[in-house]
Amino acid sequence: MPALDPAVYTAREVATIRRSMRLLERGLRSGSPVLGSPIAAGAYLRLWIGAADREIFAALFLDTQNRLIEAEELFRGTLAETSVYPREVLRFALRHNAASVLLAHNHPSGAAEPSVADRTLTTALRDALALVDVRVADHLIVTRSATYSFADHGLL
C-alpha cells in the first residue's frame, strides 16, 4: 500500500484512508478492468496522492484486460513540480510486463487543470511507451477533491 504523508493527515484520518484504499484497491485488483471503473481509480488516486504537499507522479500498470498489476509512486518532487524521466517510466512498465499504464500526478495547489508542461510530458510519455507497445490509457491530475482526465478531454 502506498505511503501517506503524516504531515497532511491525523493518525485517525490515515487509518480511515488506508481502509478506504484497501477497499478500492481490492476492487481494482478484483479482475474487473480499471478503465471500466474510472471513478474508483480516481478515488483511489485522490486518497493516495491528492492531498500530498509536494508533487508525486505515480502509475497504475495494467495487463491486457486493463486489470491492475501494480500501483507505484515513480517520482516525488517539490511543491510546484517533479522531474519525470520517460526512460524510467518505460523501465517500470517493462518490469511489470504492462500492456498499458494509467499515469497520474497531483497538483498540491488544488487546481486540477493541466499545465503546458503536463501536456508536453504526456505526449513524450505516450510516444516513448508506444515504441514498446505499451499504451497510455489515461493521465489523471488529482487534487484532494478533483480529478482531471486527459483521455476525457481528448488529449490522448
Side-chain angles (χ1 to χ4, degrees):
M1 172 153 317
L4 295 171
D5 190 342
V8 176
Y9 299 106
T10 66
R12 176 179 240 152
E13 289 171 329
V14 167
T16 301
I17 290 169
R18 285 182 200 258
R19 280 193 300 277
S20 299
M21 287 178 68
R22 276 194 297 275
L23 289 171
L24 287 166
E25 190 169 354
R26 186 181 317 144
L28 294 175
R29 289 185 186 276
S30 70
S32 58
V34 170
L35 301 178
S37 57
I39 293 170
Y44 177 79
L45 289 161
R46 278 194 316 275
L47 287 172
W48 177 16
I49 63 174
D53 63 352
R54 61 188 62 208
E55 277 205 14
I56 296 171
F57 190 90
L60 303 182
F61 297 100
L62 310 174
D63 68 11
T64 57
Q65 301 300 311
N66 292 319
R67 294 176 301 218
L68 182 65
I69 297 169
E70 192 63 57
E72 279 200 64
E73 177 182 316
L74 304 182
F75 306 100
R76 185 176 283 256
T78 65
L79 174 65
E81 66 184 6
T82 188
S83 295
V84 176
Y85 303 97
R87 174 188 175 99
E88 293 301 308
V89 176
L90 180 62
R91 188 172 65 83
F92 277 100
L94 291 173
R95 179 168 22 121
H96 290 299
N97 199 28
S100 61
V101 62
L102 190 154
L103 305 169
H105 77 279
N106 67 315
H107 278 180
S109 68
E113 292 295 315
S115 66
V116 172
D118 293 335
R119 291 171 189 242
T120 302
L121 173 64
T122 302
T123 300
L125 289 169
R126 183 194 64 208
D127 294 348
L129 289 162
L131 292 173
V132 293
D133 296 324
V134 176
R135 185 175 69 86
V136 174
D138 203 347
H139 182 171
L140 300 179
I141 297 174
V142 297
T143 67
R144 190 181 291 246
S145 60
T147 304
Y148 181 97
S149 164
F150 277 65
D152 286 352
H153 287 87
L155 299 175
L156 276 177

